[in-house]
Amino acid sequence: MLVLAFDTATPAVTAALHDGERVLAEHTTIDARRHGELLAPTIELVLAEARATLRDVTAVVAGSGPGPYTGLRVGLMTAQGLATTLGVPAYGVCTLDALAYGSGLTEPFLAATDARRKEVFWARYADLRTRLDGPAVDRPADVPADGLPVIGAGADLYRGVLDAKGHEAPPYPYAGSLAALAVERLAAGAPLDPARPIYLRRPDAVVPGAPKKVLAPGESGRATA
């Protein structure tokens, strides 16, 4: 088994290789604007570090969000394209699940990432493996934390509203955790979702409306009898 995992649903462009027992290589760059530029070189880097090639990969796993539309689709389209080319399955794992798994927490908590527009994507967990609620998107003040610790960059960004309570957890879902979680679920026979996006709201970009009519010189634009 050789699982290639990556996530582009947050500012962390992250990729890792897992052989079914351990993470062989992992690399992450924090850059919210260059997902498309950075993902392929990052994949090449972890393959080289592990002394593997794409033809050695037996499964592809991508973070399925939630996340901003543009970044999220980079990872998922790459996963689908690689899986088709290599003839291997492509799976999607909730990005917040990977963040939670990487925390190592065994008590109830929330995971939150930046959703922009002064909102966060969040989910509630019983422990690092068990999601109880979400994913959802809300303003920080409307997240039902109920006194629980909140991990992730969303908590760091709105620390005055979402209390991190001193827990030292990764701010982003790193690909090593994503790969390890996927491998664990596969080994347990748990079904994995296809590599499809989790969208919780409409994308920021919209289709432009019809252009306004340009009047010729001397035209007033008023109807005449």
Side-chain angles (χ1 to χ4, degrees), residues 68-71 73 116-117 201-209:
Y69 177 79
T70 302
R73 68 178 181 176
R116 304 177 184 173
R117 305 185 191 177
R201 66 186 185 199
R202 300 176 66 86
D204 292 329
V206 296
V207 178

Side-chain angles (χ1 to χ4, degrees), residues 84-178:
T84 299
T85 300
L86 300 173
V88 301
Y91 302 111
V93 172
C94 176
T95 295
L96 291 168
D97 287 358
L99 178 60
Y101 191 81
S103 74
L105 292 173
T106 58
E107 62 192 74
F109 65 96
L110 274 74
T113 59
D114 182 18
R116 304 177 184 173
R117 305 185 191 177
K118 298 182 179 180
E119 295 179 327
V120 294
F121 297 119
W122 65 271
R124 184 195 303 267
Y125 295 84
D127 53 44
L128 73 164
R129 294 179 177 85
T130 311
R131 176 161 29 111
L132 299 176
D133 191 14
V137 59
D138 284 295
R139 292 186 176 274
D142 296 328
V143 174
D146 299 329
L148 295 176
V150 186
I151 66 163
D156 294 338
L157 188 61
Y158 299 101
R159 189 172 292 275
V161 180
L162 299 173
D163 190 358
K165 296 190 180 300
H167 282 284
E168 295 295 332
Y172 299 111
Y174 297 120
S177 297
L178 176 65

Side-chain angles (χ1 to χ4, degrees), residues 27-113:
H27 187 76
T28 301
T29 301
I30 309 301
D31 192 326
R33 298 181 180 274
R34 298 174 61 216
H35 296 89
E37 297 175 44
L38 293 172
L39 181 57
T42 302
I43 292 172
E44 292 175 357
L45 186 61
V46 296
L47 286 168
E49 185 176 332
R51 297 183 180 180
T53 70
L54 279 174
R55 291 296 173 186
D56 298 320
V57 171
T58 58
V60 179
V61 177
S64 54
Y69 177 79
T70 302
L72 178 57
R73 68 178 181 176
V74 168
L76 290 166
M77 291 176 66
T78 299
Q80 294 166 5
L82 286 175
T84 299
T85 300
L86 300 173
V88 301
Y91 302 111
V93 172
C94 176
T95 295
L96 291 168
D97 287 358
L99 178 60
Y101 191 81
S103 74
L105 292 173
T106 58
E107 62 192 74
F109 65 96
L110 274 74
T113 59

